[in-house]
mmCIF file of all heavy atoms in Angstrom:
data_model
loop_
_atom_site.group_PDB
_atom_site.id
_atom_site.type_symbol
_atom_site.label_atom_id
_atom_site.label_comp_id
_atom_site.label_asym_id
_atom_site.label_seq_id
_atom_site.Cartn_x
_atom_site.Cartn_y
_atom_site.Cartn_z
ATOM 1 N N LYS H 1 9.572 -10.265 18.138
ATOM 2 C CA LYS H 1 8.276 -9.602 18.118
ATOM 3 C C LYS H 1 8.458 -8.170 17.633
ATOM 4 O O LYS H 1 9.567 -7.644 17.614
ATOM 5 C CB LYS H 1 7.632 -9.618 19.512
ATOM 6 C CG LYS H 1 8.473 -8.963 20.595
ATOM 7 C CD LYS H 1 7.813 -9.087 21.964
ATOM 8 C CE LYS H 1 8.686 -8.421 23.048
ATOM 9 N NZ LYS H 1 8.074 -8.519 24.376
ATOM 10 N N LYS H 2 7.366 -7.557 17.220
ATOM 11 C CA LYS H 2 7.408 -6.180 16.709
ATOM 12 C C LYS H 2 7.909 -5.229 17.787
ATOM 13 O O LYS H 2 7.479 -5.291 18.936
ATOM 14 C CB LYS H 2 6.002 -5.776 16.249
ATOM 15 C CG LYS H 2 5.892 -4.345 15.758
ATOM 16 C CD LYS H 2 4.446 -4.020 15.411
ATOM 17 C CE LYS H 2 4.267 -2.546 15.103
ATOM 18 N NZ LYS H 2 2.855 -2.205 14.839
ATOM 19 N N LEU H 3 8.856 -4.369 17.400
ATOM 20 C CA LEU H 3 9.437 -3.372 18.305
ATOM 21 C C LEU H 3 10.026 -4.034 19.553
ATOM 22 O O LEU H 3 9.758 -3.629 20.681
ATOM 23 C CB LEU H 3 8.398 -2.306 18.689
ATOM 24 C CG LEU H 3 7.891 -1.442 17.531
ATOM 25 C CD1 LEU H 3 6.875 -0.425 18.023
ATOM 26 C CD2 LEU H 3 9.030 -0.741 16.821
ATOM 27 N N ASP H 4 10.822 -5.057 19.301
ATOM 28 C CA ASP H 4 11.485 -5.770 20.404
ATOM 29 C C ASP H 4 12.789 -5.044 20.733
ATOM 30 O O ASP H 4 13.865 -5.422 20.291
ATOM 31 C CB ASP H 4 11.741 -7.215 19.974
ATOM 32 C CG ASP H 4 12.202 -8.087 21.119
ATOM 33 O OD1 ASP H 4 12.299 -7.559 22.245
ATOM 34 O OD2 ASP H 4 12.470 -9.275 20.889
ATOM 35 N N LEU H 5 12.686 -3.985 21.529
ATOM 36 C CA LEU H 5 13.833 -3.113 21.796
ATOM 37 C C LEU H 5 14.903 -3.800 22.642
ATOM 38 O O LEU H 5 16.055 -3.359 22.659
ATOM 39 C CB LEU H 5 13.362 -1.834 22.495
ATOM 40 C CG LEU H 5 12.336 -0.988 21.720
ATOM 41 C CD1 LEU H 5 11.982 0.263 22.506
ATOM 42 C CD2 LEU H 5 12.856 -0.619 20.339
ATOM 43 N N ASN H 6 14.542 -4.853 23.322
ATOM 44 C CA ASN H 6 15.508 -5.558 24.167
ATOM 45 C C ASN H 6 15.927 -6.898 23.569
ATOM 46 O O ASN H 6 16.617 -7.675 24.226
ATOM 47 C CB ASN H 6 14.905 -5.773 25.564
ATOM 48 C CG ASN H 6 14.612 -4.460 26.262
ATOM 49 O OD1 ASN H 6 15.431 -3.546 26.248
ATOM 50 N ND2 ASN H 6 13.433 -4.363 26.862
ATOM 51 N N GLY H 7 15.528 -7.163 22.346
ATOM 52 C CA GLY H 7 15.835 -8.439 21.717
ATOM 53 C C GLY H 7 17.277 -8.518 21.228
ATOM 54 O O GLY H 7 17.975 -7.497 21.127
ATOM 55 N N GLN H 8 17.714 -9.714 20.922
ATOM 56 C CA GLN H 8 19.084 -9.934 20.463
ATOM 57 C C GLN H 8 19.074 -10.259 18.963
ATOM 58 O O GLN H 8 19.273 -11.399 18.543
ATOM 59 C CB GLN H 8 19.737 -11.052 21.277
ATOM 60 C CG GLN H 8 19.858 -10.703 22.749
ATOM 61 C CD GLN H 8 20.607 -11.757 23.546
ATOM 62 O OE1 GLN H 8 20.965 -12.810 23.039
ATOM 63 N NE2 GLN H 8 20.858 -11.459 24.804
ATOM 64 N N SER H 9 18.826 -9.236 18.185
ATOM 65 C CA SER H 9 18.741 -9.372 16.731
ATOM 66 C C SER H 9 19.301 -8.104 16.100
ATOM 67 O O SER H 9 19.576 -7.112 16.785
ATOM 68 C CB SER H 9 17.286 -9.583 16.299
ATOM 69 O OG SER H 9 16.482 -8.496 16.738
ATOM 70 N N TYR H 10 19.463 -8.136 14.781
ATOM 71 C CA TYR H 10 19.986 -6.961 14.074
ATOM 72 C C TYR H 10 18.968 -5.824 14.024
ATOM 73 O O TYR H 10 19.331 -4.652 14.153
ATOM 74 C CB TYR H 10 20.392 -7.342 12.648
ATOM 75 C CG TYR H 10 21.791 -7.904 12.538
ATOM 76 C CD1 TYR H 10 22.037 -9.256 12.783
ATOM 77 C CD2 TYR H 10 22.870 -7.099 12.207
ATOM 78 C CE1 TYR H 10 23.316 -9.781 12.693
ATOM 79 C CE2 TYR H 10 24.161 -7.619 12.106
ATOM 80 C CZ TYR H 10 24.376 -8.949 12.352
ATOM 81 O OH TYR H 10 25.642 -9.463 12.265
ATOM 82 N N PHE H 11 17.696 -6.171 13.830
ATOM 83 C CA PHE H 11 16.655 -5.148 13.692
ATOM 84 C C PHE H 11 15.614 -5.305 14.785
ATOM 85 O O PHE H 11 15.362 -6.416 15.270
ATOM 86 C CB PHE H 11 15.979 -5.255 12.319
ATOM 87 C CG PHE H 11 16.859 -4.814 11.173
ATOM 88 C CD1 PHE H 11 17.755 -5.703 10.592
ATOM 89 C CD2 PHE H 11 16.805 -3.521 10.685
ATOM 90 C CE1 PHE H 11 18.579 -5.308 9.553
ATOM 91 C CE2 PHE H 11 17.619 -3.112 9.643
ATOM 92 C CZ PHE H 11 18.512 -4.010 9.067
ATOM 93 N N VAL H 12 14.994 -4.187 15.159
ATOM 94 C CA VAL H 12 13.946 -4.211 16.174
ATOM 95 C C VAL H 12 12.567 -4.326 15.548
ATOM 96 O O VAL H 12 11.579 -4.562 16.237
ATOM 97 C CB VAL H 12 14.000 -2.953 17.077
ATOM 98 C CG1 VAL H 12 15.330 -2.846 17.784
ATOM 99 C CG2 VAL H 12 13.715 -1.676 16.273
ATOM 100 N N ILE H 13 12.488 -4.141 14.224
ATOM 101 C CA ILE H 13 11.193 -4.153 13.556
ATOM 102 C C ILE H 13 11.383 -4.567 12.098
ATOM 103 O O ILE H 13 12.406 -4.271 11.477
ATOM 104 C CB ILE H 13 10.525 -2.756 13.636
ATOM 105 C CG1 ILE H 13 9.098 -2.790 13.065
ATOM 106 C CG2 ILE H 13 11.363 -1.693 12.933
ATOM 107 C CD1 ILE H 13 8.329 -1.489 13.289
ATOM 108 N N ASN H 14 10.414 -5.271 11.574
ATOM 109 C CA ASN H 14 10.358 -5.580 10.148
ATOM 110 C C ASN H 14 8.916 -5.906 9.797
ATOM 111 O O ASN H 14 8.098 -6.200 10.680
ATOM 112 C CB ASN H 14 11.274 -6.751 9.781
ATOM 113 C CG ASN H 14 10.831 -8.061 10.383
ATOM 114 O OD1 ASN H 14 11.068 -8.320 11.567
ATOM 115 N ND2 ASN H 14 10.184 -8.903 9.595
ATOM 116 N N GLY H 15 8.600 -5.844 8.534
ATOM 117 C CA GLY H 15 7.226 -6.125 8.124
ATOM 118 C C GLY H 15 7.138 -6.371 6.639
ATOM 119 O O GLY H 15 8.064 -6.063 5.884
ATOM 120 N N PRO H 16 6.021 -6.933 6.179
ATOM 121 C CA PRO H 16 5.861 -7.249 4.757
ATOM 122 C C PRO H 16 5.603 -6.001 3.928
ATOM 123 O O PRO H 16 5.203 -4.948 4.443
ATOM 124 C CB PRO H 16 4.640 -8.172 4.742
ATOM 125 C CG PRO H 16 3.839 -7.716 5.931
ATOM 126 C CD PRO H 16 4.847 -7.324 6.974
ATOM 127 N N GLY H 17 5.832 -6.123 2.619
ATOM 128 C CA GLY H 17 5.469 -5.053 1.708
ATOM 129 C C GLY H 17 3.957 -4.975 1.570
ATOM 130 O O GLY H 17 3.213 -5.774 2.149
ATOM 131 N N ILE H 18 3.489 -4.044 0.767
ATOM 132 C CA ILE H 18 2.054 -3.816 0.596
ATOM 133 C C ILE H 18 1.428 -4.894 -0.271
ATOM 134 O O ILE H 18 1.926 -5.216 -1.346
ATOM 135 C CB ILE H 18 1.811 -2.440 -0.060
ATOM 136 C CG1 ILE H 18 2.109 -1.325 0.937
ATOM 137 C CG2 ILE H 18 0.389 -2.314 -0.579
ATOM 138 C CD1 ILE H 18 2.077 0.037 0.314
ATOM 139 N N ALA H 19 0.312 -5.454 0.184
ATOM 140 C CA ALA H 19 -0.526 -6.331 -0.638
ATOM 141 C C ALA H 19 -1.850 -5.600 -0.830
ATOM 142 O O ALA H 19 -2.652 -5.506 0.099
ATOM 143 C CB ALA H 19 -0.732 -7.677 0.034
ATOM 144 N N SER H 20 -2.055 -5.061 -2.016
ATOM 145 C CA SER H 20 -3.203 -4.174 -2.229
ATOM 146 C C SER H 20 -4.500 -4.923 -2.483
ATOM 147 O O SER H 20 -5.575 -4.472 -2.084
ATOM 148 C CB SER H 20 -2.929 -3.235 -3.404
ATOM 149 O OG SER H 20 -3.042 -3.935 -4.631
ATOM 150 N N GLY H 21 -4.441 -6.060 -3.167
ATOM 151 C CA GLY H 21 -5.666 -6.733 -3.569
ATOM 152 C C GLY H 21 -6.311 -6.089 -4.774
ATOM 153 O O GLY H 21 -7.341 -6.573 -5.267
ATOM 154 N N ARG H 22 -5.717 -4.975 -5.265
ATOM 155 C CA ARG H 22 -6.272 -4.266 -6.434
ATOM 156 C C ARG H 22 -5.145 -3.533 -7.171
ATOM 157 O O ARG H 22 -5.202 -2.322 -7.390
ATOM 158 C CB ARG H 22 -7.379 -3.313 -5.998
ATOM 159 C CG ARG H 22 -7.016 -2.334 -4.876
ATOM 160 C CD ARG H 22 -8.183 -1.415 -4.533
ATOM 161 N NE ARG H 22 -9.328 -2.161 -4.084
ATOM 162 C CZ ARG H 22 -9.471 -2.634 -2.846
ATOM 163 N NH1 ARG H 22 -8.527 -2.415 -1.944
ATOM 164 N NH2 ARG H 22 -10.538 -3.312 -2.508
ATOM 165 N N ASP H 23 -4.110 -4.283 -7.537
ATOM 166 C CA ASP H 23 -2.933 -3.670 -8.170
ATOM 167 C C ASP H 23 -3.277 -2.844 -9.399
ATOM 168 O O ASP H 23 -2.714 -1.774 -9.621
ATOM 169 C CB ASP H 23 -1.922 -4.747 -8.566
ATOM 170 C CG ASP H 23 -1.179 -5.319 -7.362
ATOM 171 O OD1 ASP H 23 -1.614 -5.049 -6.232
ATOM 172 O OD2 ASP H 23 -0.184 -6.031 -7.565
ATOM 173 N N SER H 24 -4.187 -3.349 -10.243
ATOM 174 C CA SER H 24 -4.497 -2.641 -11.493
ATOM 175 C C SER H 24 -5.167 -1.297 -11.249
ATOM 176 O O SER H 24 -5.219 -0.455 -12.148
ATOM 177 C CB SER H 24 -5.385 -3.507 -12.390
ATOM 178 O OG SER H 24 -6.621 -3.788 -11.753
ATOM 179 N N TRP H 25 -5.659 -1.082 -10.030
ATOM 180 C CA TRP H 25 -6.283 0.205 -9.689
ATOM 181 C C TRP H 25 -5.284 1.165 -9.048
ATOM 182 O O TRP H 25 -5.239 2.336 -9.394
ATOM 183 C CB TRP H 25 -7.451 -0.025 -8.725
ATOM 184 C CG TRP H 25 -8.632 -0.682 -9.346
ATOM 185 C CD1 TRP H 25 -8.841 -2.026 -9.475
ATOM 186 C CD2 TRP H 25 -9.767 -0.044 -9.937
ATOM 187 N NE1 TRP H 25 -10.033 -2.263 -10.102
ATOM 188 C CE2 TRP H 25 -10.630 -1.071 -10.391
ATOM 189 C CE3 TRP H 25 -10.142 1.285 -10.111
ATOM 190 C CZ2 TRP H 25 -11.836 -0.802 -11.017
ATOM 191 C CZ3 TRP H 25 -11.353 1.565 -10.735
ATOM 192 C CH2 TRP H 25 -12.184 0.532 -11.192
ATOM 193 N N ILE H 26 -4.509 0.675 -8.098
ATOM 194 C CA ILE H 26 -3.696 1.618 -7.311
ATOM 195 C C ILE H 26 -2.292 1.828 -7.876
ATOM 196 O O ILE H 26 -1.592 2.736 -7.447
ATOM 197 C CB ILE H 26 -3.590 1.178 -5.838
ATOM 198 C CG1 ILE H 26 -2.683 -0.039 -5.686
ATOM 199 C CG2 ILE H 26 -4.945 0.936 -5.231
ATOM 200 C CD1 ILE H 26 -2.180 -0.235 -4.275
ATOM 201 N N TYR H 27 -1.859 0.990 -8.838
ATOM 202 C CA TYR H 27 -0.530 1.137 -9.443
ATOM 203 C C TYR H 27 -0.657 1.530 -10.916
ATOM 204 O O TYR H 27 -1.535 1.042 -11.619
ATOM 205 C CB TYR H 27 0.254 -0.182 -9.388
ATOM 206 C CG TYR H 27 0.778 -0.601 -8.044
ATOM 207 C CD1 TYR H 27 0.238 -1.699 -7.380
ATOM 208 C CD2 TYR H 27 1.848 0.062 -7.444
ATOM 209 C CE1 TYR H 27 0.743 -2.118 -6.153
ATOM 210 C CE2 TYR H 27 2.350 -0.350 -6.220
ATOM 211 C CZ TYR H 27 1.801 -1.432 -5.580
ATOM 212 O OH TYR H 27 2.310 -1.844 -4.371
ATOM 213 N N ASN H 28 0.270 2.363 -11.365
ATOM 214 C CA ASN H 28 0.390 2.627 -12.800
ATOM 215 C C ASN H 28 1.639 3.455 -13.051
ATOM 216 O O ASN H 28 2.123 4.148 -12.159
ATOM 217 C CB ASN H 28 -0.835 3.369 -13.344
ATOM 218 C CG ASN H 28 -0.987 3.186 -14.848
ATOM 219 O OD1 ASN H 28 -0.400 3.923 -15.634
ATOM 220 N ND2 ASN H 28 -1.777 2.198 -15.249
ATOM 221 N N TYR H 29 2.149 3.381 -14.294
ATOM 222 C CA TYR H 29 3.292 4.214 -14.663
ATOM 223 C C TYR H 29 2.874 5.669 -14.842
ATOM 224 O O TYR H 29 3.704 6.564 -14.816
ATOM 225 C CB TYR H 29 3.920 3.704 -15.969
ATOM 226 C CG TYR H 29 4.559 2.349 -15.841
ATOM 227 C CD1 TYR H 29 3.967 1.234 -16.404
ATOM 228 C CD2 TYR H 29 5.756 2.180 -15.144
ATOM 229 C CE1 TYR H 29 4.552 -0.026 -16.297
ATOM 230 C CE2 TYR H 29 6.344 0.931 -15.014
ATOM 231 C CZ TYR H 29 5.733 -0.166 -15.600
ATOM 232 O OH TYR H 29 6.307 -1.406 -15.483
ATOM 233 N N SER H 30 1.578 5.890 -15.042
ATOM 234 C CA SER H 30 1.056 7.245 -15.242
ATOM 235 C C SER H 30 0.382 7.743 -13.969
ATOM 236 O O SER H 30 -0.540 7.107 -13.445
ATOM 237 C CB SER H 30 0.049 7.265 -16.395
ATOM 238 O OG SER H 30 -0.700 8.460 -16.396
ATOM 239 N N LEU H 31 0.835 8.872 -13.468
ATOM 240 C CA LEU H 31 0.226 9.477 -12.277
ATOM 241 C C LEU H 31 -1.233 9.830 -12.536
ATOM 242 O O LEU H 31 -2.097 9.595 -11.682
ATOM 243 C CB LEU H 31 1.016 10.736 -11.889
ATOM 244 C CG LEU H 31 0.569 11.464 -10.618
ATOM 245 C CD1 LEU H 31 0.824 10.600 -9.394
ATOM 246 C CD2 LEU H 31 1.303 12.794 -10.480
ATOM 247 N N ASN H 32 -1.524 10.360 -13.726
ATOM 248 C CA ASN H 32 -2.894 10.772 -14.044
ATOM 249 C C ASN H 32 -3.850 9.585 -14.106
ATOM 250 O O ASN H 32 -5.009 9.680 -13.674
ATOM 251 C CB ASN H 32 -2.929 11.537 -15.369
ATOM 252 C CG ASN H 32 -2.243 12.891 -15.276
ATOM 253 O OD1 ASN H 32 -2.168 13.468 -14.184
ATOM 254 N ND2 ASN H 32 -1.733 13.391 -16.381
ATOM 255 N N ILE H 33 -3.354 8.453 -14.641
ATOM 256 C CA ILE H 33 -4.226 7.276 -14.740
ATOM 257 C C ILE H 33 -4.570 6.747 -13.348
ATOM 258 O O ILE H 33 -5.726 6.416 -13.057
ATOM 259 C CB ILE H 33 -3.557 6.174 -15.588
ATOM 260 C CG1 ILE H 33 -3.544 6.593 -17.058
ATOM 261 C CG2 ILE H 33 -4.287 4.841 -15.430
ATOM 262 C CD1 ILE H 33 -2.823 5.627 -17.975
ATOM 263 N N VAL H 34 -3.559 6.674 -12.444
ATOM 264 C CA VAL H 34 -3.836 6.237 -11.067
ATOM 265 C C VAL H 34 -4.862 7.163 -10.424
ATOM 266 O O VAL H 34 -5.840 6.704 -9.824
ATOM 267 C CB VAL H 34 -2.549 6.217 -10.216
ATOM 268 C CG1 VAL H 34 -2.885 5.927 -8.762
ATOM 269 C CG2 VAL H 34 -1.579 5.172 -10.730
ATOM 270 N N ALA H 35 -4.648 8.474 -10.550
ATOM 271 C CA ALA H 35 -5.553 9.447 -9.929
ATOM 272 C C ALA H 35 -6.971 9.309 -10.470
ATOM 273 O O ALA H 35 -7.949 9.293 -9.700
ATOM 274 C CB ALA H 35 -5.025 10.860 -10.169
ATOM 275 N N ASP H 36 -7.110 9.182 -11.788
ATOM 276 C CA ASP H 36 -8.441 9.067 -12.399
ATOM 277 C C ASP H 36 -9.151 7.793 -11.954
ATOM 278 O O ASP H 36 -10.337 7.815 -11.613
ATOM 279 C CB ASP H 36 -8.324 9.085 -13.928
ATOM 280 C CG ASP H 36 -7.938 10.461 -14.463
ATOM 281 O OD1 ASP H 36 -8.045 11.437 -13.698
ATOM 282 O OD2 ASP H 36 -7.528 10.545 -15.644
ATOM 283 N N ARG H 37 -8.420 6.676 -11.960
ATOM 284 C CA ARG H 37 -9.042 5.400 -11.590
ATOM 285 C C ARG H 37 -9.513 5.406 -10.138
ATOM 286 O O ARG H 37 -10.622 4.959 -9.826
ATOM 287 C CB ARG H 37 -8.045 4.256 -11.812
ATOM 288 C CG ARG H 37 -7.859 3.892 -13.273
ATOM 289 C CD ARG H 37 -6.824 2.793 -13.435
ATOM 290 N NE ARG H 37 -6.654 2.420 -14.833
ATOM 291 C CZ ARG H 37 -5.712 1.620 -15.289
ATOM 292 N NH1 ARG H 37 -4.827 1.098 -14.439
ATOM 293 N NH2 ARG H 37 -5.627 1.316 -16.574
ATOM 294 N N ILE H 38 -8.653 5.897 -9.245
ATOM 295 C CA ILE H 38 -9.010 5.893 -7.827
ATOM 296 C C ILE H 38 -10.155 6.861 -7.550
ATOM 297 O O ILE H 38 -11.072 6.557 -6.775
ATOM 298 C CB ILE H 38 -7.784 6.240 -6.953
ATOM 299 C CG1 ILE H 38 -6.720 5.146 -7.072
ATOM 300 C CG2 ILE H 38 -8.193 6.429 -5.501
ATOM 301 C CD1 ILE H 38 -7.181 3.783 -6.596
ATOM 302 N N GLU H 39 -10.117 8.015 -8.189
ATOM 303 C CA GLU H 39 -11.194 8.996 -7.985
ATOM 304 C C GLU H 39 -12.538 8.399 -8.405
ATOM 305 O O GLU H 39 -13.549 8.571 -7.712
ATOM 306 C CB GLU H 39 -10.890 10.261 -8.792
ATOM 307 C CG GLU H 39 -11.677 11.464 -8.331
ATOM 308 C CD GLU H 39 -11.113 12.774 -8.861
ATOM 309 O OE1 GLU H 39 -10.248 12.740 -9.756
ATOM 310 O OE2 GLU H 39 -11.553 13.835 -8.371
ATOM 311 N N GLN H 40 -12.538 7.677 -9.527
ATOM 312 C CA GLN H 40 -13.782 7.058 -9.996
ATOM 313 C C GLN H 40 -14.218 5.937 -9.058
ATOM 314 O O GLN H 40 -15.409 5.806 -8.741
ATOM 315 C CB GLN H 40 -13.581 6.508 -11.409
ATOM 316 C CG GLN H 40 -13.417 7.582 -12.481
ATOM 317 C CD GLN H 40 -13.058 6.996 -13.835
ATOM 318 O OE1 GLN H 40 -13.397 5.863 -14.147
ATOM 319 N NE2 GLN H 40 -12.354 7.775 -14.654
ATOM 320 N N MET H 41 -13.271 5.122 -8.597
ATOM 321 C CA MET H 41 -13.632 4.018 -7.718
ATOM 322 C C MET H 41 -14.130 4.515 -6.365
ATOM 323 O O MET H 41 -15.091 3.981 -5.809
ATOM 324 C CB MET H 41 -12.445 3.076 -7.512
ATOM 325 C CG MET H 41 -12.851 1.807 -6.771
ATOM 326 S SD MET H 41 -11.581 0.517 -6.694
ATOM 327 C CE MET H 41 -10.524 1.171 -5.433
ATOM 328 N N VAL H 42 -13.489 5.544 -5.825
ATOM 329 C CA VAL H 42 -13.927 6.114 -4.544
ATOM 330 C C VAL H 42 -15.335 6.685 -4.666
ATOM 331 O O VAL H 42 -16.181 6.504 -3.775
ATOM 332 C CB VAL H 42 -12.928 7.195 -4.073
ATOM 333 C CG1 VAL H 42 -13.530 8.037 -2.948
ATOM 334 C CG2 VAL H 42 -11.637 6.549 -3.603
ATOM 335 N N SER H 43 -15.595 7.353 -5.777
ATOM 336 C CA SER H 43 -16.926 7.912 -6.004
ATOM 337 C C SER H 43 -17.969 6.798 -6.079
ATOM 338 O O SER H 43 -19.054 6.894 -5.488
ATOM 339 C CB SER H 43 -16.926 8.733 -7.293
ATOM 340 O OG SER H 43 -18.221 9.218 -7.574
ATOM 341 N N PHE H 44 -17.644 5.723 -6.785
ATOM 342 C CA PHE H 44 -18.570 4.592 -6.909
ATOM 343 C C PHE H 44 -18.774 3.926 -5.549
ATOM 344 O O PHE H 44 -19.909 3.568 -5.185
ATOM 345 C CB PHE H 44 -18.010 3.587 -7.920
ATOM 346 C CG PHE H 44 -18.923 2.431 -8.189
ATOM 347 C CD1 PHE H 44 -20.018 2.568 -9.027
ATOM 348 C CD2 PHE H 44 -18.703 1.198 -7.583
ATOM 349 C CE1 PHE H 44 -20.870 1.496 -9.266
ATOM 350 C CE2 PHE H 44 -19.544 0.122 -7.812
ATOM 351 C CZ PHE H 44 -20.630 0.271 -8.663
ATOM 352 N N TYR H 45 -17.707 3.735 -4.799
ATOM 353 C CA TYR H 45 -17.806 3.128 -3.472
ATOM 354 C C TYR H 45 -18.733 3.950 -2.578
ATOM 355 O O TYR H 45 -19.598 3.395 -1.880
ATOM 356 C CB TYR H 45 -16.423 3.041 -2.824
ATOM 357 C CG TYR H 45 -16.468 2.799 -1.329
ATOM 358 C CD1 TYR H 45 -16.539 1.518 -0.802
ATOM 359 C CD2 TYR H 45 -16.465 3.880 -0.433
ATOM 360 C CE1 TYR H 45 -16.605 1.299 0.567
ATOM 361 C CE2 TYR H 45 -16.531 3.673 0.935
ATOM 362 C CZ TYR H 45 -16.606 2.383 1.429
ATOM 363 O OH TYR H 45 -16.690 2.184 2.791
ATOM 364 N N ASN H 46 -18.561 5.269 -2.565
ATOM 365 C CA ASN H 46 -19.382 6.125 -1.701
ATOM 366 C C ASN H 46 -20.855 6.062 -2.085
ATOM 367 O O ASN H 46 -21.736 6.098 -1.207
ATOM 368 C CB ASN H 46 -18.872 7.565 -1.742
ATOM 369 C CG ASN H 46 -17.582 7.747 -0.948
ATOM 370 O OD1 ASN H 46 -17.338 7.044 0.040
ATOM 371 N ND2 ASN H 46 -16.740 8.671 -1.372
#
């Protein structure tokens, strides 16, 4: 279980990587493109 401090295992915690559901928005090789896309989407959402 999560944070099993008394368990008999190598690690006390583990978890999955990020599943965004919107990779083309939150990921990019360009920092500026990610920032521009998210700023526009957040504005539209609001």
Side-chain angles (χ1 to χ4, degrees):
K1 58 183 180 180
K2 177 184 172 183
L3 296 180
D4 190 1
L5 301 181
N6 297 315
Q8 297 185 355
S9 58
Y10 275 84
F11 289 85
V12 301
I13 186 172
N14 66 281
I18 288 172
S20 75
R22 52 179 61 80
D23 286 12
S24 62
W25 289 87
I26 72 161
Y27 287 110
N28 202 274
Y29 293 107
S30 166
L31 183 67
N32 292 334
I33 288 176
V34 173
D36 289 345
R37 285 178 179 171
I38 295 298
E39 198 164 12
Q40 291 173 28
M41 189 171 77
V42 166
S43 177
F44 184 78
Y45 164 87
N46 285 330

